[in-house]
Structures are given as structure tokens and as C-alpha cells.
Coordinates of all heavy atoms in Angstrom, one line a residue:
T22 N 7.4 -17.1 5.3 CA 6.9 -15.9 6.0 C 7.7 -14.7 5.5 O 8.8 -14.9 4.9 CB 7.0 -16.1 7.5 OG1 8.3 -16.1 7.8 CG2 6.2 -17.3 7.9
L23 N 7.2 -13.6 5.8 CA 7.9 -12.3 5.5 C 9.2 -12.3 6.2 O 10.2 -11.7 5.7 CB 7.0 -11.1 5.8 CG 6.0 -10.7 4.8 CD1 5.1 -9.6 5.3 CD2 6.6 -10.5 3.4
D24 N 9.3 -12.8 7.4 CA 10.5 -12.8 8.2 C 11.6 -13.5 7.3 O 12.7 -12.9 7.2 CB 10.3 -13.5 9.5 CG 11.5 -13.5 10.4 OD1 12.2 -12.4 10.5 OD2 11.9 -14.6 11.0
E25 N 11.4 -14.6 6.8 CA 12.4 -15.4 6.0 C 12.7 -14.7 4.7 O 13.8 -14.6 4.3 CB 11.9 -16.8 5.8 CG 12.0 -17.7 6.9 CD 10.8 -17.8 7.9 OE1 9.8 -17.1 7.5 OE2 10.9 -18.4 8.9
A26 N 11.6 -14.1 4.1 CA 11.9 -13.4 2.9 C 12.9 -12.2 3.1 O 13.8 -12.0 2.3 CB 10.6 -12.9 2.3
F27 N 12.6 -11.5 4.2 CA 13.5 -10.3 4.5 C 14.9 -10.8 4.9 O 15.9 -10.1 4.7 CB 12.9 -9.4 5.5 CG 11.9 -8.4 4.9 CD1 10.6 -8.7 4.8 CD2 12.4 -7.3 4.3 CE1 9.7 -7.8 4.2 CE2 11.5 -6.4 3.7 CZ 10.1 -6.6 3.6
E28 N 15.0 -12.0 5.6 CA 16.2 -12.5 6.0 C 17.1 -12.8 4.7 O 18.3 -12.6 4.6 CB 16.0 -13.7 6.8 CG 17.3 -14.3 7.3 CD 17.1 -15.5 8.3 OE1 16.0 -15.6 8.9 OE2 18.0 -16.4 8.4
V29 N 16.4 -13.4 3.7 CA 17.1 -13.7 2.4 C 17.6 -12.5 1.7 O 18.7 -12.4 1.2 CB 16.3 -14.7 1.6 CG1 16.9 -14.9 0.2 CG2 16.0 -16.0 2.2
L30 N 16.7 -11.4 1.7 CA 17.0 -10.2 1.1 C 18.2 -9.5 1.8 O 19.1 -9.0 1.1 CB 15.8 -9.3 1.1 CG 14.7 -9.6 0.0 CD1 13.5 -8.8 0.3 CD2 15.2 -9.4 -1.4
C31 N 18.2 -9.6 3.1 CA 19.3 -9.0 3.9 C 20.6 -9.7 3.6 O 21.7 -9.1 3.5 CB 19.0 -9.0 5.4 SG 17.8 -7.8 5.8
A32 N 20.6 -11.1 3.5 CA 21.7 -11.9 3.3 C 22.3 -11.5 1.9 O 23.6 -11.4 1.7 CB 21.4 -13.3 3.4
A33 N 21.5 -11.3 0.9 CA 21.9 -10.9 -0.4 C 22.6 -9.5 -0.4 O 23.6 -9.3 -1.0 CB 20.8 -10.9 -1.4
Q34 N 22.0 -8.6 0.4 CA 22.5 -7.3 0.5 C 23.9 -7.3 1.2 O 24.8 -6.5 0.8 CB 21.6 -6.4 1.4 CG 21.9 -5.0 1.5 CD 20.9 -4.1 2.2 OE1 19.9 -4.7 2.8 NE2 21.0 -2.9 2.2
L35 N 24.2 -8.3 2.0 CA 25.5 -8.4 2.7 C 26.5 -9.2 1.8 O 27.6 -9.4 2.2 CB 25.3 -9.1 4.0 CG 24.5 -8.3 5.1 CD1 24.2 -9.2 6.3 CD2 25.3 -7.1 5.5
G36 N 26.0 -9.6 0.6 CA 26.9 -10.3 -0.3 C 27.0 -11.8 -0.1 O 27.9 -12.4 -0.6
E37 N 26.2 -12.4 0.7 CA 26.2 -13.8 1.0 C 25.8 -14.7 -0.2 O 26.1 -15.8 -0.2 CB 25.5 -14.1 2.3 CG 26.1 -13.5 3.5 CD 25.3 -13.8 4.8 OE1 24.4 -14.7 4.8 OE2 25.5 -13.1 5.8
H38 N 25.0 -14.1 -1.0 CA 24.5 -14.8 -2.2 C 23.9 -13.8 -3.2 O 23.8 -12.6 -2.9 CB 23.4 -15.9 -1.8 CG 22.1 -15.3 -1.2 ND1 21.2 -14.7 -2.0 CD2 21.7 -15.1 0.0 CE1 20.2 -14.3 -1.3 NE2 20.5 -14.5 0.0
A39 N 23.6 -14.3 -4.4 CA 23.0 -13.4 -5.4 C 21.6 -13.8 -5.8 O 21.1 -13.5 -7.0 CB 23.9 -13.4 -6.6
K40 N 20.9 -14.5 -5.0 CA 19.5 -15.1 -5.3 C 18.5 -14.0 -5.1 O 18.5 -13.2 -4.1 CB 19.2 -16.3 -4.4 CG 20.2 -17.4 -4.6 CD 19.9 -18.5 -3.6 CE 21.1 -19.5 -3.7 NZ 21.0 -20.4 -2.5
P41 N 17.5 -13.9 -6.0 CA 16.3 -13.1 -5.8 C 15.3 -13.7 -4.8 O 15.4 -14.8 -4.5 CB 15.7 -12.9 -7.1 CG 16.0 -14.3 -7.7 CD 17.4 -14.7 -7.2
V42 N 14.4 -12.8 -4.3 CA 13.2 -13.3 -3.6 C 12.1 -13.0 -4.5 O 11.9 -11.8 -5.0 CB 13.1 -12.6 -2.3 CG1 11.8 -13.0 -1.6 CG2 14.2 -13.0 -1.3
V43 N 11.3 -14.0 -4.9 CA 10.2 -13.8 -5.8 C 8.9 -13.9 -5.1 O 8.7 -14.9 -4.5 CB 10.4 -14.9 -7.0 CG1 9.2 -14.6 -8.0 CG2 11.7 -14.8 -7.7
F44 N 8.1 -12.9 -5.3 CA 6.8 -12.9 -4.7 C 5.8 -13.2 -5.9 O 5.7 -12.4 -6.8 CB 6.4 -11.6 -4.0 CG 7.3 -11.2 -2.9 CD1 8.5 -10.6 -3.0 CD2 6.9 -11.7 -1.6 CE1 9.3 -10.3 -1.9 CE2 7.7 -11.4 -0.5 CZ 8.9 -10.7 -0.7
V45 N 5.0 -14.2 -5.8 CA 4.0 -14.5 -6.8 C 2.7 -13.8 -6.4 O 2.1 -14.2 -5.4 CB 3.8 -16.1 -6.9 CG1 2.8 -16.3 -8.0 CG2 5.1 -16.7 -7.2
D46 N 2.4 -12.7 -7.1 CA 1.4 -11.8 -6.8 C 0.1 -12.1 -7.4 O -0.5 -11.3 -8.1 CB 1.9 -10.3 -7.2 CG 1.1 -9.2 -6.5 OD1 0.4 -9.6 -5.5 OD2 1.1 -8.1 -7.0
I47 N -0.4 -13.3 -7.1 CA -1.7 -13.7 -7.6 C -2.8 -12.8 -6.9 O -2.8 -12.5 -5.7 CB -2.0 -15.2 -7.2 CG1 -0.9 -16.1 -7.7 CG2 -3.4 -15.6 -7.7 CD1 -0.8 -16.2 -9.3
A48 N -3.7 -12.3 -7.8 CA -4.8 -11.4 -7.3 C -4.4 -10.2 -6.6 O -5.1 -9.8 -5.7 CB -5.8 -12.3 -6.5
A49 N -3.2 -9.7 -6.9 CA -2.6 -8.5 -6.3 C -2.4 -8.6 -4.8 O -2.4 -7.6 -4.1 CB -3.5 -7.3 -6.7
Y50 N -2.2 -9.8 -4.3 CA -2.1 -10.0 -2.9 C -0.9 -9.3 -2.3 O -0.9 -8.7 -1.2 CB -1.9 -11.5 -2.6 CG -1.7 -11.8 -1.1 CD1 -2.9 -11.9 -0.3 CD2 -0.4 -12.0 -0.5 CE1 -2.7 -12.2 1.1 CE2 -0.3 -12.3 0.8 CZ -1.5 -12.4 1.6 OH -1.3 -12.7 3.0
W51 N 0.3 -9.3 -3.0 CA 1.4 -8.6 -2.6 C 1.6 -7.1 -3.1 O 2.6 -6.5 -2.9 CB 2.7 -9.4 -3.1 CG 2.8 -10.7 -2.4 CD1 2.7 -11.9 -3.0 CD2 3.1 -11.0 -1.0 NE1 2.9 -12.9 -2.1 CE2 3.1 -12.4 -0.8 CE3 3.3 -10.2 0.1 CZ2 3.4 -13.0 0.4 CZ3 3.6 -10.8 1.3 CH2 3.6 -12.2 1.4
S52 N 0.5 -6.6 -3.6 CA 0.6 -5.2 -4.1 C 1.0 -4.2 -3.1 O 1.8 -3.3 -3.4 CB -0.7 -4.8 -4.8 OG -0.8 -5.5 -6.0
P53 N 0.5 -4.3 -1.8 CA 0.9 -3.3 -0.8 C 2.4 -3.4 -0.5 O 3.1 -2.4 -0.3 CB 0.1 -3.6 0.4 CG -1.1 -4.3 -0.2 CD -0.6 -5.1 -1.4
L54 N 3.0 -4.6 -0.5 CA 4.4 -4.8 -0.2 C 5.2 -4.2 -1.4 O 6.2 -3.6 -1.2 CB 4.7 -6.3 -0.1 CG 6.2 -6.6 0.3 CD1 6.6 -5.9 1.6 CD2 6.4 -8.1 0.4
R55 N 4.7 -4.5 -2.7 CA 5.4 -4.0 -3.8 C 5.4 -2.5 -3.7 O 6.5 -1.8 -4.0 CB 4.7 -4.4 -5.1 CG 5.4 -3.9 -6.4 CD 4.5 -4.2 -7.6 NE 4.4 -5.6 -7.8 CZ 4.1 -6.2 -9.0 NH1 3.9 -5.3 -10.0 NH2 4.0 -7.4 -9.2
A56 N 4.3 -1.8 -3.4 CA 4.3 -0.4 -3.3 C 5.3 0.1 -2.2 O 5.9 1.2 -2.4 CB 2.9 0.1 -3.0
W57 N 5.4 -0.6 -1.1 CA 6.3 -0.2 0.0 C 7.7 -0.3 -0.5 O 8.5 0.6 -0.3 CB 6.1 -1.1 1.2 CG 7.0 -0.8 2.3 CD1 6.8 0.1 3.3 CD2 8.3 -1.3 2.5 NE1 7.9 0.3 4.1 CE2 8.8 -0.6 3.7 CE3 9.1 -2.2 1.9 CZ2 10.1 -0.9 4.2 CZ3 10.4 -2.5 2.4 CH2 10.8 -1.9 3.5
F58 N 8.1 -1.4 -1.2 CA 9.4 -1.5 -1.8 C 9.7 -0.3 -2.8 O 10.8 0.2 -2.7 CB 9.6 -2.8 -2.5 CG 10.1 -3.9 -1.7 CD1 9.3 -5.0 -1.3 CD2 11.4 -4.0 -1.2 CE1 9.7 -6.0 -0.6 CE2 11.9 -5.0 -0.4 CZ 11.1 -6.0 -0.1
D59 N 8.8 -0.1 -3.6 CA 9.0 1.1 -4.6 C 9.1 2.4 -3.9 O 10.0 3.2 -4.3 CB 7.8 1.1 -5.6 CG 7.7 -0.1 -6.5 OD1 8.7 -0.8 -6.6 OD2 6.7 -0.3 -7.1
G60 N 8.3 2.7 -2.9 CA 8.4 3.9 -2.1 C 9.7 4.0 -1.4 O 10.3 5.1 -1.3
A61 N 10.2 2.9 -0.8 CA 11.5 2.9 -0.1 C 12.6 3.2 -1.1 O 13.5 4.0 -0.7 CB 11.7 1.6 0.6
R62 N 12.5 2.7 -2.3 CA 13.6 2.9 -3.3 C 13.5 4.4 -3.7 O 14.5 5.1 -3.7 CB 13.4 2.1 -4.5 CG 14.5 2.3 -5.6 CD 14.2 1.7 -6.9 NE 13.1 2.5 -7.5 CZ 12.0 1.9 -8.1 NH1 12.0 0.7 -8.3 NH2 11.0 2.7 -8.5
E63 N 12.3 4.9 -4.0 CA 12.2 6.3 -4.4 C 12.6 7.3 -3.3 O 13.1 8.4 -3.6 CB 10.7 6.6 -4.8 CG 10.3 5.8 -6.1 CD 8.8 5.8 -6.3 OE1 8.1 6.5 -5.5 OE2 8.3 5.1 -7.2
A64 N 12.5 6.9 -2.0 CA 12.9 7.7 -0.9 C 14.4 7.6 -0.6 O 14.9 8.3 0.3 CB 12.1 7.4 0.3
G65 N 15.1 6.7 -1.3 CA 16.5 6.5 -1.1 C 16.8 5.6 0.1 O 18.0 5.5 0.5
M66 N 15.8 4.9 0.6 CA 16.0 4.0 1.7 C 16.6 2.7 1.2 O 17.1 1.9 2.0 CB 14.7 3.8 2.4 CG 14.1 5.1 2.9 SD 15.0 5.9 4.3 CE 14.7 4.8 5.6
V67 N 16.3 2.3 0.0 CA 16.8 1.1 -0.6 C 17.5 1.3 -1.9 O 16.9 2.0 -2.7 CB 15.5 0.1 -0.8 CG1 16.0 -1.2 -1.5 CG2 14.9 -0.2 0.5
A68 N 18.7 0.8 -2.0 CA 19.4 1.0 -3.3 C 18.8 0.3 -4.4 O 18.2 -0.8 -4.2 CB 20.8 0.5 -3.1
P69 N 18.8 0.8 -5.6 CA 18.2 0.2 -6.7 C 18.7 -1.3 -7.0 O 17.9 -2.1 -7.3 CB 18.6 1.1 -7.9 CG 18.7 2.4 -7.4 CD 19.3 2.2 -6.0
S70 N 19.9 -1.5 -6.7 CA 20.4 -2.9 -6.9 C 19.8 -3.9 -5.9 O 19.5 -5.0 -6.2 CB 22.0 -2.9 -6.7 OG 22.4 -2.4 -5.4
H71 N 19.5 -3.4 -4.7 CA 18.9 -4.2 -3.7 C 17.4 -4.4 -3.9 O 16.8 -5.4 -3.7 CB 19.1 -3.7 -2.3 CG 20.6 -3.6 -1.9 ND1 21.4 -4.7 -2.0 CD2 21.3 -2.6 -1.5 CE1 22.6 -4.4 -1.6 NE2 22.6 -3.1 -1.3
H72 N 16.8 -3.3 -4.4 CA 15.4 -3.3 -4.8 C 15.1 -4.4 -5.8 O 14.1 -5.0 -5.8 CB 14.9 -1.9 -5.3 CG 13.6 -1.8 -5.7 ND1 13.1 -2.1 -7.0 CD2 12.4 -1.4 -5.0 CE1 11.9 -1.9 -7.1 NE2 11.4 -1.5 -5.9
A73 N 16.0 -4.5 -6.8 CA 15.9 -5.4 -7.9 C 15.9 -6.9 -7.5 O 15.4 -7.7 -8.2 CB 17.0 -5.2 -8.9
R74 N 16.3 -7.2 -6.3 CA 16.4 -8.5 -5.8 C 15.0 -9.0 -5.3 O 14.7 -10.2 -5.3 CB 17.3 -8.7 -4.6 CG 18.8 -8.5 -5.1 CD 19.7 -9.1 -4.0 NE 21.1 -8.8 -4.3 CZ 21.9 -9.4 -5.1 NH1 21.4 -10.4 -5.7 NH2 23.1 -9.0 -5.3
A75 N 14.1 -8.1 -5.0 CA 12.7 -8.4 -4.7 C 11.9 -8.4 -5.9 O 11.6 -7.3 -6.5 CB 12.1 -7.5 -3.6
R76 N 11.5 -9.5 -6.5 CA 10.8 -9.5 -7.7 C 9.4 -9.9 -7.5 O 9.1 -10.8 -6.7 CB 11.5 -10.5 -8.7 CG 12.9 -10.1 -9.0 CD 13.6 -11.1 -9.9 NE 15.0 -10.7 -10.0 CZ 15.9 -11.5 -10.6 NH1 15.5 -12.6 -11.2 NH2 17.1 -11.1 -10.7
F77 N 8.5 -9.2 -8.2 CA 7.1 -9.5 -8.1 C 6.6 -10.0 -9.5 O 6.8 -9.3 -10.5 CB 6.3 -8.2 -7.7 CG 6.7 -7.8 -6.3 CD1 7.8 -7.0 -6.0 CD2 5.9 -8.3 -5.2 CE1 8.1 -6.6 -4.7 CE2 6.2 -7.9 -3.9 CZ 7.3 -7.1 -3.7
I78 N 6.0 -11.1 -9.5 CA 5.4 -11.7 -10.8 C 3.9 -11.9 -10.6 O 3.5 -12.1 -9.5 CB 6.2 -12.9 -11.2 CG1 6.1 -14.0 -10.2 CG2 7.6 -12.6 -11.5 CD1 6.7 -15.3 -10.6
D79 N 3.2 -12.0 -11.7 CA 1.8 -12.2 -11.6 C 1.3 -13.6 -11.9 O 0.1 -13.9 -11.7 CB 1.1 -11.2 -12.6 CG 1.4 -9.7 -12.3 OD1 1.5 -9.4 -11.1 OD2 1.6 -8.9 -13.2
T80 N 2.1 -14.4 -12.4 CA 1.7 -15.8 -12.8 C 2.8 -16.8 -12.3 O 3.9 -16.5 -12.3 CB 1.5 -16.0 -14.3 OG1 2.6 -15.8 -15.0 CG2 0.4 -14.9 -14.7
L81 N 2.4 -18.0 -12.1 CA 3.4 -19.1 -11.8 C 4.2 -19.4 -13.0 O 5.4 -19.8 -12.9 CB 2.7 -20.3 -11.4 CG 2.1 -20.3 -9.9 CD1 1.3 -21.5 -9.7 CD2 3.1 -20.0 -8.9
D82 N 3.7 -19.2 -14.2 CA 4.5 -19.4 -15.5 C 5.7 -18.5 -15.5 O 6.7 -18.8 -16.1 CB 3.6 -19.2 -16.7 CG 2.5 -20.2 -16.9 OD1 2.7 -21.4 -16.3 OD2 1.5 -19.9 -17.5
A83 N 5.7 -17.3 -14.9 CA 6.8 -16.4 -14.9 C 7.8 -16.7 -13.8 O 8.9 -16.1 -13.8 CB 6.3 -15.0 -14.6
L84 N 7.6 -17.8 -13.0 CA 8.5 -18.1 -11.9 C 9.8 -18.7 -12.4 O 10.9 -18.2 -12.0 CB 7.8 -19.0 -11.0 CG 8.7 -19.4 -9.7 CD1 9.0 -18.2 -8.9 CD2 7.9 -20.4 -8.9
A85 N 9.8 -19.7 -13.3 CA 11.0 -20.3 -13.8 C 12.0 -19.3 -14.4 O 13.2 -19.4 -14.0 CB 10.7 -21.5 -14.7
P86 N 11.6 -18.4 -15.2 CA 12.6 -17.4 -15.7 C 13.3 -16.6 -14.7 O 14.4 -16.2 -14.8 CB 11.8 -16.6 -16.7 CG 10.6 -17.4 -17.1 CD 10.3 -18.3 -15.9
C87 N 12.5 -16.3 -13.6 CA 13.1 -15.5 -12.5 C 14.2 -16.2 -11.8 O 15.1 -15.7 -11.2 CB 12.0 -15.1 -11.5 SG 10.9 -13.8 -12.1
L88 N 14.0 -17.5 -11.8 CA 15.0 -18.4 -11.1 C 16.2 -18.9 -12.0 O 16.9 -19.7 -11.6 CB 14.3 -19.6 -10.5 CG 13.2 -19.2 -9.5 CD1 12.5 -20.5 -9.0 CD2 13.7 -18.4 -8.3
G89 N 16.2 -18.4 -13.3 CA 17.2 -18.7 -14.2 C 17.0 -20.2 -14.7 O 18.0 -20.8 -15.1
R90 N 15.9 -20.6 -14.9 CA 15.6 -22.0 -15.4 C 14.8 -21.9 -16.7 O 14.2 -21.0 -17.1 CB 14.8 -22.7 -14.4 CG 15.5 -22.9 -13.1 CD 14.7 -23.8 -12.2 NE 15.4 -23.9 -10.9 CZ 15.0 -24.4 -9.9 NH1 13.8 -24.9 -9.8 NH2 15.7 -24.5 -8.8

């Protein structure tokens, strides 16, 4: 759920880990969330380093490289 995704993002922001959260954006399902993240970064609400932890990909084939595999 989004609750868990944001929990993991917050834990990374606090330095508890360095893992990304990857959203597989099939059929542009997560496009509104991506736009929100981008807007929050542009408004200075989210640091670029934290913004980079939320990754959006368009295919499952792109998942393994995001996880360092």
C-alpha cells in the first residue's frame, strides 16, 4: 500500500537504509503520484536526494536494474 511505501521512503530519509521504492507504472497508473513527487521537489518540499529514492519505471524488465540485480 502507499502507507508502506511512504514508511520505507521515510526510513530511508532518516538514514535507516539506502533502498529505493520502485513503482511499476504500467498504463500510467502511478503518473499522478509521480507528478506529485516532482511538484514537491520543485517546490522545495522534498530534497532531490530523497526524491531520487522514489523510482518510477514503465516495465517489469526495468525492475531488476533498479534493485541492483
Side-chain angles (χ1 to χ4, degrees):
T22 66
L23 281 177
D24 182 46
E25 284 87 7
F27 278 94
E28 185 175 335
V29 173
L30 287 168
C31 288
Q34 188 173 7
L35 294 171
E37 295 180 14
H38 65 81
K40 300 172 188 168
V42 173
V43 181
F44 295 91
V45 182
D46 195 17
I47 304 294
Y50 181 83
W51 293 111
S52 289
L54 183 62
R55 182 188 295 199
W57 181 86
F58 269 111
D59 291 345
R62 183 196 65 223
E63 291 166 9
M66 303 290 289
V67 176
S70 60
H71 299 307
H72 178 272
R74 293 198 191 276
R76 299 183 187 169
F77 293 86
I78 59 173
D79 297 326
T80 66
L81 287 175
D82 292 334
L84 183 59
C87 285
L88 301 177
R90 298 180 182 175

